[in-house]
């Protein structure tokens, strides 16, 4: 006898819970709603219905992946960030709500040009350009696969004319000066990397997560080279780990930046260091 939607929700939740998934009920509902192409809230009214053959195969395949701790966003192929849905793959970081702190802070500044270092999916750069309709930007990444994802997101948001995407390692291929430089660089330490959840450690690009060692090497490069690529009065904003605020602030201070601030995310944890060129 074929199972009903309600039974799939119950059994799927139990399966994901056994697999160690942190939010088994919510994830099962998300994957089932996505399979049916309906809102999650509509599942309740369809609890007694059954899936057709194609829907069942699609749902079971999604559940197989989730049980292996593949992130929901990679199974769906998209992740909501700021005001848009961004395509994601295992070649880019999964855009996270914490990073919206950086976008929000950047939008309090005035800029016509923006540089995004380590752009990944392009979620930061493209979110900023979508808000500032006359601004132009450059996104740089050392991963060509990540840039392919960013290009798809750029096209989906209609920003091809204003967003340039370029292969390069930090500032190595960057020319010109910018009013705003932003970055969510790899900052997880070697020790902390080993303790990450499987969804992150096993399914997101290591190069975008950790630089190794103390996790600060990217900030050292940014602190050293950013000023020569900034216009007078330009702003610099970087995402940080919750305990890295003082160390990154010290690097920026030693490099000659002023008005250095540590900004919290919605959970009250240090998340962004902002600075201004002197």
């Amino acid at each position: 006898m074929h199972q009903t939607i309600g039974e799939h929700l119950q059994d799927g939740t139990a399966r994901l819970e056994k697999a160690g998934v942190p939010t088994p009920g919510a994830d099962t509902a998300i994957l089932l709603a996505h399979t049916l192409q309906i809102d999650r809230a509509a599942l309740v009214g369809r609890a007694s219905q059954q899936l057709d053959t194609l829907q069942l195969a699609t749902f079971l395949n999604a559940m197989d992946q989730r049980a292996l701790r593949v992130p929901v966003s990679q199974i769906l192929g998209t992740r909501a960030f700021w005001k848009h849905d961004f395509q994601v793959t295992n070649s880019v970081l999964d855009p996270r709500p914490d990073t919206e702190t950086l976008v929000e802070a950047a939008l309090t500044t005035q800029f016509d040009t923006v540089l995004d270092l380590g752009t990944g999916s392009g979620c930061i750069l493209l979110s900023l350009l979508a808000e500032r309709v006359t601004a132009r930007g450059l996104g740089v990444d050392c991963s060509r696969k990540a840039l392919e994802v960013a290009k798809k997101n750029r096209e989906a948001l209609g920003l091809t004319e204003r967003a340039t995407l370029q292969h390069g390692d930090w500032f190595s291929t960057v020319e010109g000066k910018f009013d705003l430089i932003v970055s969510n660089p790899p900052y997880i330490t070697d020790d902390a990397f080993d303790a990450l959840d499987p969804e992150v450690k096993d399914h997101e690009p290591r190069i975008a997560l950790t630089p190794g060692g103390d996790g600060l090497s990217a900030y050292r490069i940014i602190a050293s080279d950013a000023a020569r690529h900034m216009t007078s009065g330009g702003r610099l904003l970087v995402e940080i780990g919750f305990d890295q605020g003082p160390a990154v602030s010290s690097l920026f201070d030693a490099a000659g930046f002023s008005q250095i601030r540590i900004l919290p995310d919605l959970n009250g944890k240090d998340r962004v260091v902002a600075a201004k060129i002197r």
Side-chain angles (χ1 to χ4, degrees), residues 23 26 29 37 64 81 95 114 116 124 139 169 173 180 207 219 222 237 239 243 245 255 261:
T23 53
Q37 298 184 341
D64 287 344
F81 178 84
V114 55
D116 181 16
I124 296 174
D169 188 16
T173 61
L180 174 67
I207 193 174
Y219 302 112
I222 293 171
L237 290 93
E239 181 170 329
D243 58 351
R261 296 177 297 145

Side-chain angles (χ1 to χ4, degrees), residues 119-138:
T119 195
S121 66
C123 65
I124 296 174
L125 174 67
L126 299 176
S127 293
L128 292 174
L129 295 182
E131 295 285 338
R132 295 286 173 85
V133 297
T134 60
R136 305 180 71 86
L138 169 64

Side-chain angles (χ1 to χ4, degrees), residues 111-258:
F111 62 89
D112 293 315
T113 53
V114 55
L115 169 64
D116 181 16
L117 297 166
T119 195
S121 66
C123 65
I124 296 174
L125 174 67
L126 299 176
S127 293
L128 292 174
L129 295 182
E131 295 285 338
R132 295 286 173 85
V133 297
T134 60
R136 305 180 71 86
L138 169 64
V140 177
D141 205 289
C142 65
S143 167
R144 295 188 185 277
K145 289 184 177 180
L147 288 172
E148 289 302 314
V149 177
K151 288 175 183 176
K152 292 178 181 178
N153 286 321
R154 177 181 65 178
E155 182 178 355
L157 293 180
L159 292 169
T160 303
E161 295 301 316
R162 294 195 289 122
T164 300
L165 297 170
Q166 184 170 294
H167 183 253
D169 188 16
W170 302 116
F171 294 96
S172 64
T173 61
V174 174
E175 297 180 354
K177 296 187 176 184
F178 300 83
D179 303 326
L180 174 67
I181 296 180
V182 295
S183 183
N184 177 16
Y187 55 71
I188 297 171
T189 66
D190 263 342
D191 292 340
F193 180 82
D194 292 333
L196 292 174
D197 290 336
E199 285 84 352
V200 179
K201 183 170 62 175
D202 298 336
H203 297 284
E204 295 191 47
R206 181 180 181 123
I207 193 174
L209 291 164
T210 177
D214 63 3
L216 298 174
S217 61
Y219 302 112
R220 295 186 180 100
I221 294 171
I222 293 171
S224 173
D225 296 346
R228 62 190 177 91
H229 290 286
M230 298 173 71
T231 59
S232 177
R235 302 280 179 169
L236 172 64
L237 290 93
V238 297
E239 181 170 329
I240 58 168
F242 72 93
D243 58 351
Q244 293 174 320
V248 174
S249 296
S250 179
L251 287 171
F252 288 178
D253 180 62
F257 287 90
S258 65

